């Protein structure tokens, strides 16, 4: 492609604009842009191409026309400067000005002045409470200049730089100048492309405009105002490219349905992105760019505007504080510290102003005058949590030190060495600093409840109290807050505590949890489902209340290929504009959501965790939530344990042991965190506060009857294992729970052994050796040991599945017995599904872990293991044991989100209305769509699924749950919110989600990262590979009941050998990977397949061997029978030969008789043949004559048919019309004369007359009229006797025919259809001429036909005589054939008997040597059957396991492991066995 010569283009354009110095100016222009491209920074929004050049040249032409007396160099320099300054970042402006000065030395030019616009800008800015900051006003003028020459404008810059205000103030200023300007905003990334531009219904073909298309149409039709459509969102190369025809000179919006909507002069397409990183050069060149750097405005004007709205005394007191602290602390943080989340400076200062507004609000309402000291203390408190609110726990001391160096005595004195200013707040009444610990309320454990709901009590801590206060401050200022912190830092709990303190009569809350697949539509559905229409386009919470929306995990939505979080774009739109565009008709109307405030929580960015867009962060006051300190954790769980094991109910030894559990757990937690670090293979090694909580949830779940000191003598139940004391029982319970929480999620035995060792070491450090010895053997806790509770009087079952979490006295043996009985009961009650589980030790342990989760409120599990580990079966059995309703979705080809919703609704109703535990079994094979996991994530995190319950269904549920809540919680008012909360909590308590996932591949890790609820909302149980003992048990389960032809010793060895095979192959997989770097996976499903394959192969081979043995025995028996049969056949053959001789004689006699009769028949046949030939010859001659006559007749037939056709076209009406004529045309008269002659009617005397130079006969029409008067005239012509025509008549007609006009065409012109008589007359004459020739032939034909009739009669009589002779002959032939057939059968039977006898004799001779070998082989079948035990095992192992390996490893495993193990264990096997395909 050729590169255009820009300098020549510039020169020509300048000359066209009237510039005389176009040569030198074009060169300066060209050089300037070349230097800019080389020396300025590379920004995606910089454009020095032809479109930019043309826009500059247009402005230069306008300047020349407006200032014809000014210097052309001056005008060009000013245009180049002013048209480009707007798009440069602040760092490039000095360099650009230097380049301008170098190219135009010594030339100073003022900016183009727009005095009216400038005055209007200042007026509007002051009205809006904004500062007349010169740099910012310059950007307003630059936008105006671009507005004059561009119809597409991009206002680009970081968040908080004043872009929106620039646009709105300029629109207001232009409105002040007389023309109304309005701004319509929409976020193109908050919706999909079809929702933006429009979509075509594939079924009906109907077109529906999108939001942008609707706004564009409205703006194009509106003639009374100037409309700026602002696309306020990130730019990507998809939706912006769809607007190329809008931004270029076409100014047309082209839609997919073919509509083209022209852009009017009163419209502007404006864009407000943060950057143009994803915009193509083509897009950048089409729009005017105004870049607003963060330094253009800074934070000072924002503060001044805020102070201007404050009380004068407050403003005077606060201004020195801003001057003293803000700049220095911002610079210190920028240089020395690293906030956990990046935020723009202006946004951070905005948080400071929000906190100050909220803090000072109380004093404004009471009109209290604040002292300078108190005001500074309040300022420092707000400064700490705004500028330092995003600092991590490690960096807060540095912030504190720097702030103390500035504030001095205005900061509190440290009460402890580790205290910082963050641990203090200002007392509202005195204005003095007080430690946060003074504000932590006391919490009392509900001693009366045996099993308190662990999810409900919330223990306040120093962190929760101070963050609640911050949330309350921001909320009181109508602001939005966001908490940032790592997992398990209680962000959600703090927010829920804050929300729980609202008056439910005035405020409701809505929690929405984001995941990787949360889409804008899901968020919009969730918001729309929580509000109702109020007035017009205004929506709000139901009942006129206010609502607080909490968006948890707001940073989780996936970042698309352009680096955008589209879900958070609609969140920003809702916070910034207060509404969302409706996706249903009427499209294009904004739905404004009022009386709503917003809270959010997110994980700390980094390490694979997303950040949120800067423009969204600007809407929040953001605070970092660090991990709780050790003291705080001790405070939380210490109070819990202290309340659970109070001294008045338990012995001192139990109480003292309980007090040590919390620090021991924290120590274990810290050590595990330090040792078990997450890796790509162990991504779930996350140990946070949730793990601590789960440990003590299990401790509190246990029954207290084993610890109580009030039991009567002998009333103490056995503890189990080696435990002999209540404190030992408590320690055993703690060890059990720690293993469940910390060890069960680990992926290998080494890691679990380390955790076990650490637990044992901690016990030895904290307790006496005697007590530690009691827990050397593990203590197992389950909740299904007790039998159903039955009413003694009525026999009614009060509780079919009583849940009492307690130790098993008999250990694993008792558990196995109990579970086997329950499994048998399950199989008896289940009609379809039967469980035949082998309850080896590992399976029992996993069952107890799942059962423990089912016993806990909101207990959900993530069961991770390879296929065939038993996850689903154990979960089903555990659910049955716990009395839970088990449900698993059934995937079909049409199963979709709607079907999933229906299934979830059914489960919600069972769990919510019936209060029955529900086990929702969900496997990775059922993830038909990744969005399924989005809804599972919502169930685990909040229980609220967006779009699950429509408004009408939700109202029905609220009505149905009312009597249930009145019975369960009679003291709670039955308001809508309380009823919904009760239903949701009841569902969450009873719905246990059991996820069964495989760790193979990267899907599991990716899903866990995308959907945090899978990890955070579940307790992980990692299924390790089955141990050898388990493998042997499983093989025994199947082999013991399998019928085999081997000894019991061989069968026992076979079970062990099968387990060894699995172990050998598992070890070989690692060896194979180390050698060839190729993964091979072996799962329990492979082992089960191996066993099943063995059983099938053994059965088949055993049956084959038995069949072979039977066959050989049968062969020997057949040889004996064959000898006997040969002797019988010799006797039969002699009899058959005698019968054959008799039949031969009979056939010879019959043959002689037939020969004589045949001679007589042949003579008669010759006579008949002569007669037939004569008759046939005569018939052929007659046929020839007939054909000749018919041929002659057919020559006249076309003319005759044509004449008849013409005659048929004549109607009586035509005749009547002709009769009415007094003097018809002459041709008509002559035609009728011809008819008269043919019919032998009289005609007038012949006379001649001249007609057109030719002499013709004169017609006699009088007689013709009489003839036409006959009613049957036409019929008589149709039936005219053609045979009566004679030669005289034809001769008389010739003079008529000789006339040149006597033809059909001439006659038709004269008389219409009557002209057909002309053709008829000619055809009659022609027929007569033909008939004269044909008539003699017809007479001869009739005579010949008469002769033929007589000859035919003679022929028929001769043929009849011949038929009788032939019938007799056929009868005799049939008798002869039957005799010959009988003779043939006898010959064949004798020959067959001879052959059979010969074959049998030959076979006996050939098998003479085989008889002895078969006899020997029949005796070896027993040994071969014994060897099938090992042969089938080796072959099945090869088929089930060795397919993925190469030849080297296959041979190694076959010979070294499989065959060698058979020899070692004594399993009968064939030496050097080979496995070959079955051909």
């Amino acid at each position: 492609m050729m590169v255009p010569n820009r300098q020549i283009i510039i020169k020509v354009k300048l000359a066209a604009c009237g510039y005389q110095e176009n040569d030198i100016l074009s060169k300066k222009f060209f050089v300037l842009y070349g230097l800019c491209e080389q020396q300025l920074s590379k920004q995606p929004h910089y454009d020095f191409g032809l479109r930019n050049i043309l826009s500059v040249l247009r402005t230069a032409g306008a300047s020349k026309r407006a200032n014809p007396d000014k210097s052309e160099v001056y005008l060009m320099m000013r245009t180049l400067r002013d048209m480009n300054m707007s798009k440069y970042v602040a760092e490039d402006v000095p360099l650009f000005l230097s380049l301008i000065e170098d190219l135009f030395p010594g030339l100073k030019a003022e900016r183009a002045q727009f005095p009216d616009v400038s005055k209007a800008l200042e007026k509007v800015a002051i009205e809006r409470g904004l500062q007349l900051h010169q740099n910012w006003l310059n950007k307003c003028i630059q936008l105006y200049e671009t507005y004059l020459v561009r119809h597409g404008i991009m206002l680009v810059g970081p968040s908080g730089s004043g872009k929106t205000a620039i646009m709105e103030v300029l629109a207001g200023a232009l409105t002040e100048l007389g023309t109304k300007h309005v701004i319509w905003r929409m976020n193109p990334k908050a919706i999909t492309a079809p929702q933006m531009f429009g979509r075509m219904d594939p079924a009906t073909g109907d077109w529906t405009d999108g939001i942008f298309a609707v706004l564009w149409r409205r703006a194009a039709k509106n003639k009374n105002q100037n409309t700026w459509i602002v696309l306020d969102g990130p730019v990507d190369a998809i939706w912006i490219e769809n607007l190329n025809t809008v931004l270029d000179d076409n100014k047309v919006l082209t839609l997919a349905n073919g509509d083209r909507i022209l852009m009017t002069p009163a419209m502007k397409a404006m864009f407000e992105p943060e950057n143009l990183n994803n915009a193509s050069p083509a897009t950048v060149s089409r729009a005017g760019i105004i870049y607003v750097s963060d330094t253009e405005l800074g934070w000072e004007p924002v503060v001044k505007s805020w102070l201007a709205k404050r009380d004068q005394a407050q403003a005077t007191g606060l201004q020195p504080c801003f001057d003293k602290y803000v700049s220095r602390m911002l610079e210190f943080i920028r240089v020395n510290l690293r906030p956990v989340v990046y935020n723009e400076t202006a946004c951070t200062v905005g948080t400071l102003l929000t906190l100050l507004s909220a803090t000072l609000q109380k004093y404004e309402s009471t009109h209290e005058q604040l002292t300078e000291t108190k005001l500074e203390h309040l300022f420092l408190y707000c400064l700490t949590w705004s500028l330092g609110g995003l600092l991590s726990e490690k960096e807060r001391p540095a912030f504190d030190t720097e702030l103390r160096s500035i504030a001095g005595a205005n900061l509190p004195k440290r009460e402890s060495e580790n205290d910082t200013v963050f641990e203090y707040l200002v007392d509202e009444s005195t204005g003095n600093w007080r430690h946060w610990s003074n504000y932590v309320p006391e919490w009392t454990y509900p001693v009366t409840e045996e099993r308190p709901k662990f999810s409900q009590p919330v223990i306040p801590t120093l962190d929760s109290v101070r963050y609640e206060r911050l949330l309350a401050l921001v909320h009181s200022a109508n602001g939005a807050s966001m908490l940032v912190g790592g997992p398990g830092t209680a962000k959600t709990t703090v927010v829920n505590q804050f929300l729980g303190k609202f008056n439910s009569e005035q405020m409701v809350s809505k929690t929405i949890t984001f995941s990787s697949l949360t889409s804008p539509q899901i968020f919009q559905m969730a918001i729309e489902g929580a509000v109702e229409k109020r007035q017009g386009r205004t929506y709000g919470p139901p009942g006129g209340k206010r609502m607080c929306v909490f968006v948890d995990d707001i940073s989780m939505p996936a970042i698309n290929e352009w680096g955008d979080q589209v879900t958070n774009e609609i969140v920003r739109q809702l916070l910034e504009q207060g509404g969302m565009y409706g996706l249903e008709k009427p499209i294009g109307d904004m739905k404004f959501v009022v009386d709503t405030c917003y809270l959010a929580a997110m994980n700390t960015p980094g390490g694979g965790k997303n950040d949120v867009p800067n423009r969204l962060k600007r809407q929040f006051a953001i605070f970092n939530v660090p991990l709780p300190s050790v003291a705080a954790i001790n405070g939380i769980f210490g109070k819990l344990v202290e309340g659970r094991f109070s001294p008045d109910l338990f012995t001192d030894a139990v109480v003292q042991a309980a007090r040590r559990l919390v620090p021991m757990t924290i120590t274990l937690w810290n050590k595990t965190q330090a040792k078990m670090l997450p890796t790509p293979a162990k991504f779930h090694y996350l140990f946070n506060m949730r793990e601590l909580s789960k440990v003590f949830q299990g401790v509190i779940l246990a029954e207290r009857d084993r610890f109580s000191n009030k039991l009567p003598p002998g009333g103490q139940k056995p503890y189990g294992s080696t435990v002999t004391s209540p404190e030992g029982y408590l320690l055993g319970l703690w060890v059990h729970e720690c293993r469940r929480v910390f060890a069960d999620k680990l992926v290998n035995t080494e890691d679990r052994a380390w955790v076990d060792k650490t637990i044992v070491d901690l016990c030895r450090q904290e307790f006496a050796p005697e007590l530690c010895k009691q827990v050397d053997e593990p203590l197992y806790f389950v909740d299904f040991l007790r039998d159903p509770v039955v009413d003694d009087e009525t026999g009614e079952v009060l509780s079919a599945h009583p849940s009492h979490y307690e130790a098993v006295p008999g250990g694993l043996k008792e558990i196995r017995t109990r579970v086997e009985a329950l499994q048998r009961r399950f199989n008896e009650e289940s009609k379809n599904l039967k469980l035949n589980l082998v309850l080896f030790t590992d399976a029992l342990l996993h069952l107890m872990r799942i059962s423990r989760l089912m016993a806990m409120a909101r207990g959900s599990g993530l069961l991770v293991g390879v296929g065939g580990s038993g996850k689903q079966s154990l979960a089903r059995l555990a659910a049955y044991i716990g009395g839970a309703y088990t449900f698993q979705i059934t995937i079909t080809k049409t199963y979709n989100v709607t079907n999933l919703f229906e299934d979830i609704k059914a489960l919600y109703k069972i769990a919510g209305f019936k209060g029955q535990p529900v086990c929702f079994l969900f496997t990775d094979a059922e993830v038909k769509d990744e969005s399924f996991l989005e809804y599972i994530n919502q169930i685990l995190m909040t229980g609220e699924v967006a779009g699950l319950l429509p408004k009408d269904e939700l109202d029905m549920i609220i009505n149905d749950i009312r009597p249930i809540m009145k019975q369960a919680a009679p003291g709670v008012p039955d308001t809508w919110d309380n009823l919904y909360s009760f239903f949701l909590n009841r569902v969450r308590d009873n719905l246990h989600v059991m996820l069964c996932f495989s760790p193979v591949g990267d899907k599991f890790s990716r899903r866990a990262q995308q959907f945090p609820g899978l990890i955070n909302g579940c307790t992980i149980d990692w299924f390790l590979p089955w141990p050898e003992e388990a493998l042997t048990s499983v093989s025994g389960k199947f082999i013991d009941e399998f019928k085999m032809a081997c000894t019991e010793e061989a069968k026992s060895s076979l079970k062990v050998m099968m387990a060894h095979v699995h172990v050998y192959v598992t070890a070989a997989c690692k060896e194979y990977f180390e050698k060839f770097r190729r993964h091979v996976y072996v799962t329990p499903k492979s082992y089960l397949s191996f066993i099943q394959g063995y059983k099938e192969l053994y059965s088949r081979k055993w049956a084959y061997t038995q069949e072979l043995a039977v066959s050989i025995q049968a062969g020997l028996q057949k040889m004996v029978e064959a000898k006997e049969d040969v002797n019988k056949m010799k006797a039969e053959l002699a009899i058959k030969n005698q019968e054959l001789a008799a039949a031969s004689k009979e056939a010879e006699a019959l043959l002689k008789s037939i020969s004589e009769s045949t001679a007589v028949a042949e003579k008669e046949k010759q006579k008949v043949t002569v007669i037939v030939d004569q008759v046939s010859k005569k018939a052929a001659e007659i046929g020839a004559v007939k054909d000749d006559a018919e041929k002659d007749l057919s020559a006249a037939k076309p003319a005759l048919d044509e004449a008849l056709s013409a005659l048929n076209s004549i109607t009586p009406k035509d005749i009547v019309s002709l009769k009415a004529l007094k003097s018809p045309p002459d041709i008509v008269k002559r035609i009728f004369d011809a008819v008269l002659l043919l019919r032998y009617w009289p005609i007038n005397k012949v006379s001649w007359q001249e007609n057109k130079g030719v002499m013709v006969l004169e017609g006699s029409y009088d007689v013709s009229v009489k003839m036409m008067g006959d009613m049957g005239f036409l019929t008589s012509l149709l039936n005219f006797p053609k045979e009566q025509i004679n030669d005289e008549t034809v001769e008389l007609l010739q003079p008529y025919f000789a006339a040149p006009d006597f033809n059909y065409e001439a006659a038709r012109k004269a008389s219409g259809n009557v002209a057909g008589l002309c053709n008829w007359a000619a055809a009659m004459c022609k027929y007569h001429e033909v008939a004269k020739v044909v008539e003699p032939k017809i007479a001869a034909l009739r005579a010949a036909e008469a002769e033929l009739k007589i000859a035919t009669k003679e022929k028929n009589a001769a043929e009849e005589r011949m038929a009788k002779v032939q019938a007799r002959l056929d009868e005799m032939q049939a008798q002869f054939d039957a005799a010959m057939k009988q003779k043939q059968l006898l010959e064949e039977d004798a020959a067959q008997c001879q052959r059979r006898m010969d074959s049998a004799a030959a076979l006996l001779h050939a098998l003479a040597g085989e008889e002895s070998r078969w006899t020997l082989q029949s005796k070896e079948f027993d040994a071969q059957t014994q060897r099938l035990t090992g042969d089938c095992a080796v072959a099945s192992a090869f088929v089930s396991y060795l397919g993925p390996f190469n030849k080297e490893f296959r041979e190694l495993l076959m010979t070294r492991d499989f065959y060698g193990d058979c020899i070692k264990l004594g399993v009968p096997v064939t030496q050097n066995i080979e496995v070959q395909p079955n051909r």
Side-chain angles (χ1 to χ4, degrees), residues 292 416 455 540 576 703 742 779 785 820 908 1061 1083 1110 1182 1277:
V292 187
S416 67
S455 58
E576 195 174 83
E703 296 292 321
F742 290 101
L779 201 60
L785 290 181
E820 286 175 348
Y908 269 41
V1061 165
T1083 67
V1110 171
I1182 294 170
L1277 293 182

Side-chain angles (χ1 to χ4, degrees), residues 197 222 691 828 846 1052 1235 1325:
F197 295 106
N222 203 325
E691 271 63 37
E828 292 170 1
H846 286 299
S1052 299
V1235 175
C1325 291

Side-chain angles (χ1 to χ4, degrees), residues 6-18 22 26 57:
R6 297 181 183 180
Q7 185 172 341
I8 294 177
I9 295 172
I10 296 169
K11 180 179 178 180
V12 172
K13 281 286 186 181
L14 286 175
C17 293
N22 52 70
S26 64
L57 291 171

